[in-house]
Structures are given as structure tokens and as C-alpha cells.
Amino acid sequence: MAISDSLQATKSRLDAACVAAGRPLGAVGLLPVSKTFPAPVVREAFEAGARAFGENYVQEGLAK
């Protein structure tokens, strides 16, 4: 599955969970973890709409 498809499917599941819990859409955020992934994969996720990423070390995140 492409990263963009996976990201969209996950966002749809989050929206469904919000509705089921009686919370407003967008009340829950998604933080993709970029550790162990190379920069081209992180860029693909960024291009698919992800804007914040989890990383173990600041210097590794800055490099990406």
C-alpha cells in the first residue's frame, strides 16, 4: 500500500473513532514516526499531507 493510501486510511479510521466517541472530527491527531525511515520516505509522507513527525533524536529529524 502506498504511503498516501495508508495515511488516508488511517485518517479515515481516526475520524470514525472520533464520531464513535462523540468527539469532534480533528480532535485526535496523527503523528507519524519517521525514525528508521530514510529521507525520501519521509518526504513522500510529507507530500501526502503529514506535517509533524516523531523522531528519537533532533539531529536525525533535522537531517530529514
Side-chain angles (χ1 to χ4, degrees), residues 11 53 59:
K11 287 180 178 181
F53 297 88
Q59 62 271 25

Side-chain angles (χ1 to χ4, degrees), residues 3-4 7 11 30 32 42-53:
I3 289 175
S4 59
L7 187 59
K11 287 180 178 181
L30 177 65
V42 176
R43 176 160 302 282
E44 186 179 347
F46 181 84
E47 290 171 356
R51 292 296 179 262
F53 297 88

Side-chain angles (χ1 to χ4, degrees), residues 18-38:
C18 284
V19 169
R23 298 181 70 175
L25 295 179
V28 177
L30 177 65
L31 183 66
V33 176
S34 59
K35 71 179 199 169
T36 74
F37 289 97

